[in-house]
Amino acid sequence: RMPADVILRRFYATALAAVLLGAAPLPTVYTSPAGSRIAGAPDPAVPYDIVLPNGRIVSPIGKSVVVGMNALGVTLTPDGKYAIVSNDDEREGQAVSRVNPIARGGFSLAVVNTKTMAVTDVFTDENLSLFLGVVALKDPAHRGQTLIMASTGGANTVRFWQLDGAGKLHAESAFLAMPGPIDSRYANQNHAYPGWIALSANRRVAYVVNNLANTVTAIDIATRQAMHTAPVGYFPYAAAFAGRRLYVTDPGLMLYAHLPQPVR
């Protein structure tokens, strides 16, 4: 086999000869827009202009705000006045944003005034866990109140908050546990890991996707109680309604097996 460096030299020699003879031009070489600049925010004065790890550059046109770390879920209140963001960071609980000191690492729910793009509240507590799913709706149990529901991932529950007119969150005491698989042969036993939440058309039932349980659980929002749980495939992730049908995406990861015990 011909060495790679010999092949490369012959390729360039052939291409150069073609140009000199008036044939095809040299191949076009493409580089990333950022060139050799490192990923991150290179200019502290423009913190939202970011160089991505692939060398692309993101420069938002609208107004931006820092809400926390690892923001995965977002929803609007029914009146559109507030956006609720689920920050699902499990490692940097002590980190503080240099751009917006109210935004910190760790798990939190942030409330953003959509008109001013200012953070009006950040809810967190010592035992808070979150993952992806968050919805806002008119509370069927308390007329005139705005209810926030969020899934807690590894805590295997769904939690509830009331949002007041000033954009402040008030936690309810209810923690609704999601049913997990009970087969002891697998490592996901008793782990539901709730994530995505989809609402029915009448906003009275919430459908919670349980990533590790391979199920969806229907919740009666007014009573804060689970109604039914159904298997939907392996490692379900997202869900959406079309008419009277709920469609669920299944990335297809199989069951979690136990790791073999080390040989001593």
Side-chain angles (χ1 to χ4, degrees):
R1 298 176 60 183
M2 188 177 297
D5 59 335
V6 175
I7 295 174
L8 190 61
R9 285 199 300 270
R10 290 191 175 182
F11 168 78
Y12 282 122
T14 303
L16 179 59
V19 171
L20 294 176
L21 294 174
L26 285 172
T28 301
V29 177
Y30 294 93
T31 60
S32 64
S36 60
R37 287 187 290 170
I38 62 172
D43 185 354
V46 192
Y48 302 111
D49 286 8
I50 304 294
V51 176
L52 300 179
N54 64 3
R56 301 294 177 182
I57 301 172
V58 176
S59 299
I61 296 176
K63 188 174 182 179
S64 301
V65 62
V66 174
V67 293
M69 293 181 65
N70 200 27
L72 293 184
V74 63
T75 188
L76 288 176
T77 55
D79 58 12
K81 291 183 178 179
Y82 296 102
I84 317 300
V85 182
S86 175
N87 299 303
D88 308 338
D89 171 48
E90 59 185 15
R91 294 184 177 90
E92 305 294 339
Q94 304 303 314
V96 179
S97 169
R98 63 178 175 81
V99 179
N100 183 7
I102 196 174
R104 297 173 176 268
F107 295 105
S108 68
L109 279 183
V111 183
V112 179
N113 184 308
T114 57
K115 183 177 181 180
T116 64
M117 288 299 288
V119 175
T120 61
D121 195 19
V122 175
F123 179 91
T124 188
D125 63 39
E126 183 178 355
N127 299 314
L128 181 64
S129 175
L130 295 166
F131 178 59
L132 190 67
V134 57
V135 293
L137 65 152
K138 294 180 180 180
D139 191 347
H142 303 283
R143 183 174 298 180
Q145 298 294 317
T146 298
L147 176 69
I148 309 300
M149 299 176 58
S151 55
T152 65
N156 299 309
T157 62
V158 171
R159 291 188 60 174
F160 306 88
W161 292 260
Q162 296 291 334
L163 179 70
D164 66 25
K168 302 295 182 182
L169 289 166
H170 305 275
E172 294 186 0
S173 58
F175 286 64
L176 180 57
M178 294 292 97
I182 58 175
D183 193 332
S184 61
R185 293 176 299 173
Y186 300 105
N188 62 341
Q189 181 185 19
N190 297 321
H191 294 284
Y193 216 92
W196 198 283
I197 303 175
L199 295 176
S200 64
N202 64 5
R203 299 297 193 264
R204 297 190 66 86
V205 180
Y207 294 85
V208 180
V209 177
N210 300 307
N211 295 121
L212 296 190
N214 301 324
T215 61
V216 166
T217 296
I219 297 174
D220 184 318
I221 299 172
T223 64
R224 316 295 201 250
Q225 295 296 316
M227 300 165 59
H228 307 286
T229 296
V232 292
Y234 290 112
F235 201 67
Y237 186 79
F241 269 95
R244 296 177 60 85
R245 294 179 181 272
L246 178 69
Y247 291 86
V248 181
T249 63
D250 294 320
L253 185 65
M254 300 300 284
L255 293 172
Y256 283 82
H258 290 291
L259 294 174
Q261 293 297 317
V263 179
R264 297 185 178 181

